[in-house]
Amino acid sequence: MTENNVIFDFDLTIGRLVTDWAEWRKAVWELVKTFDSSSTYGLEQITHASQNDLILKYGPVFKKDLDEVNEKLESSSIDSFVPNDKVVAFIQSTDKNLYLWPSNSHPTVSKYLKPLGIEKKFQAIVTREQVSLLKPDPEGFSLIHNSINALHDYVLVGDSQSDATAALNAGMRFVHVDSF
């Protein structure tokens, strides 16, 4: 990897949060119904991109409520965390500048990074509470990018199409965690 600035996603990249994400989507769907009882969103349509559509449609009050629902569900329904040993070993041993850009809440990320001893390895951790829009929107990258560094000196390591599109939207390279 030639880039000096490595940005990681969290869930399914640094490790796997063991939970029933269908229950999470159900709670988000219930929140959507409180803003628009005639909404036609189905559970399977609750993705990062559709959350952004809903945030744009319903505004900052919806985003605040969405973040609260997300944090409550993450704190109460995650059963465990299974680290990706290869990624964790890289984070522990590299001298590259590391950043974290998850779609999870800060309490969740911190809870599972601390026992691994890698939380302090990240120069910045940009969680969902810090941005108006989630990946694939590149807003989170603007909180990481230092104009001294060229875009080609950054790489985003993640697991999803949302991560890949966020990297593309931000103008940097994407590496799927399975190829890392």
Side-chain angles (χ1 to χ4, degrees), residues 51-64:
Q51 287 177 73
N52 286 344
D53 293 342
L54 293 164
I55 291 164
L56 291 170
K57 183 175 182 177
Y58 301 122
V61 171
F62 177 82
K63 172 64 164 76
K64 179 182 169 292

Side-chain angles (χ1 to χ4, degrees), residues 12-144:
L12 299 178
T13 302
I14 293 177
R16 180 174 56 90
L17 294 168
V18 179
T19 190
D20 183 356
W21 289 111
E23 287 300 313
W24 181 90
R25 282 189 293 281
K26 191 180 194 182
V28 172
W29 182 82
E30 292 293 333
L31 175 63
V32 170
K33 288 296 196 180
T34 66
F35 279 78
D36 180 1
S37 61
S38 65
S39 176
T40 59
Y41 270 96
L43 289 178
E44 69 286 348
Q45 293 174 295
I46 304 295
T47 64
H48 290 112
S50 68
Q51 287 177 73
N52 286 344
D53 293 342
L54 293 164
I55 291 164
L56 291 170
K57 183 175 182 177
Y58 301 122
V61 171
F62 177 82
K63 172 64 164 76
K64 179 182 169 292
D65 290 352
L66 177 62
D67 287 347
E68 288 173 3
V69 164
N70 176 75
E71 187 173 329
K72 179 181 175 195
L73 287 164
E74 286 184 351
S75 70
S76 66
S77 65
I78 295 173
D79 298 321
S80 62
F81 180 75
V82 180
N84 180 330
D85 293 334
K86 187 165 92 171
V87 173
V88 172
F90 173 83
I91 292 169
Q92 290 170 329
S93 65
T94 190
D95 61 350
K96 294 183 182 289
N97 300 316
L98 303 179
Y99 305 89
L100 188 62
W101 181 16
S103 297
N104 304 95
S105 70
H106 191 273
T108 297
V109 169
S110 183
K111 176 180 180 178
Y112 296 105
L113 287 181
K114 278 184 182 174
L116 297 174
I118 60 174
E119 186 173 31
K120 301 278 188 228
K121 295 286 285 183
F122 297 98
Q123 292 190 13
I125 298 175
V126 179
T127 57
R128 69 181 294 128
E129 302 92 343
Q130 295 170 268
V131 294
S132 300
L133 298 171
L134 307 171
K135 294 179 282 182
D137 188 273
E139 178 188 358
F141 179 64
S142 70
L143 300 174
I144 293 170

